[in-house]
C-alpha cells in the first residue's frame, strides 16, 4: 500500500521533531535553546518535505488525477440514479403505510361504534327486566 502525501508529510514532521530534539539535547544545555532548536528543526523538515511533496504532485503525479475524474463522475451519476430509485420506492412504501393506517383507524372507529351500540342495546334490555 503506497504512502499517501498527507501521511508522508506527517511522518516527516514527526521525524524532524525527534531528530531536532536529539540534536538539541546533544548541542545545547539551556532548556530554552533546546526548545528553539527542536522547533527550528521541525519547521525545516516540514518545509523541505512540503516542497518535495508539492514538486512530486506537480510534475510526477499529474496523469493519475486527471484520468480518474471521468470515472468518478460516472460512478457518482450511477449512485445518484440508484438513490432516486430507492427514494421512489421508499415514497411508495410510505404511501402504502399511510393508507393502511387510515383504514385501520377507520376500522377501529367502526368497531368502537359497534361496541358502544351493543352496550347501549344491552343496557336497554337490562332495563326491561
Amino acid at each position: 500500500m503506497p504512502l499517501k502525501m498527507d501521511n508522508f508529510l506527517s511522518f516527516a514532521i514527526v521525524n524532524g521533531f525527534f531528530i531536532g530534539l536529539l540534536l538539541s539535547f546533544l548541542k545545547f544545555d539551556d532548556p530554552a535553546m533546546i526548545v528553539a532548536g527542536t522547533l527550528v528543526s521541525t519547521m525545516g523538515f516540514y518545509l523541505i518535505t512540503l516542497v518535495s511533496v508539492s514538486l512530486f504532485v506537480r510534475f510526477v503525479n499529474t496523469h493519475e488525477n486527471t484520468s480518474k475524474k471521468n470515472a468518478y463522475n460516472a460512478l457518482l451519476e450511477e449512485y445518484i440514479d440508484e438513490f432516486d430509485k430507492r427514494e421512489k420506492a421508499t415514497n411508495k412504501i410510505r404511501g402504502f403505510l399511510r393508507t393502511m393506517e387510515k383504514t385501520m383507524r377507520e376500522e377501529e372507529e367502526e368497531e368502537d361504534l359497534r361496541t358502544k351500540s351493543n352496550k347501549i342495546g344491552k343496557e336497554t334490555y337490562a332495563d326491561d327486566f
Side-chain angles (χ1 to χ4, degrees), residues 59 65 83 89 96 104 128-129:
F59 294 115
N65 292 336
F83 286 141
F96 175 74
M104 291 199 54
D128 290 339
F129 288 116

Side-chain angles (χ1 to χ4, degrees), residues 74-90:
L75 186 63
L76 288 174
E77 289 297 326
E78 290 177 23
Y79 286 152
I80 289 171
D81 292 339
E82 186 67 28
F83 286 141
D84 287 340
K85 289 178 187 176
R86 289 183 185 196
E87 185 178 9
K88 288 177 185 176
T90 305

Side-chain angles (χ1 to χ4, degrees), residues 105-119:
R105 261 191 248 122
E106 290 172 354
E107 289 176 359
E108 287 175 358
E109 289 174 358
E110 289 176 5
E111 190 175 318
D112 288 342
L113 287 175
R114 285 184 201 148
T115 55
K116 286 181 183 178
S117 66
N118 285 342
K119 286 181 182 178

Side-chain angles (χ1 to χ4, degrees), residues 44-66:
F45 269 81
Y46 172 73
L47 292 174
I48 291 169
T49 307
L50 188 63
V51 168
S52 303
V53 168
S54 298
L55 291 174
F56 178 78
V57 169
R58 174 79 171 125
F59 294 115
V60 176
N61 204 13
T62 57
H63 179 67
E64 183 179 321
N65 292 336
T66 58

Side-chain angles (χ1 to χ4, degrees), residues 11 19 43 55 84 98 115:
F11 179 71
I19 290 171
M43 285 188 284
L55 291 174
D84 287 340
R98 286 183 186 136
T115 55

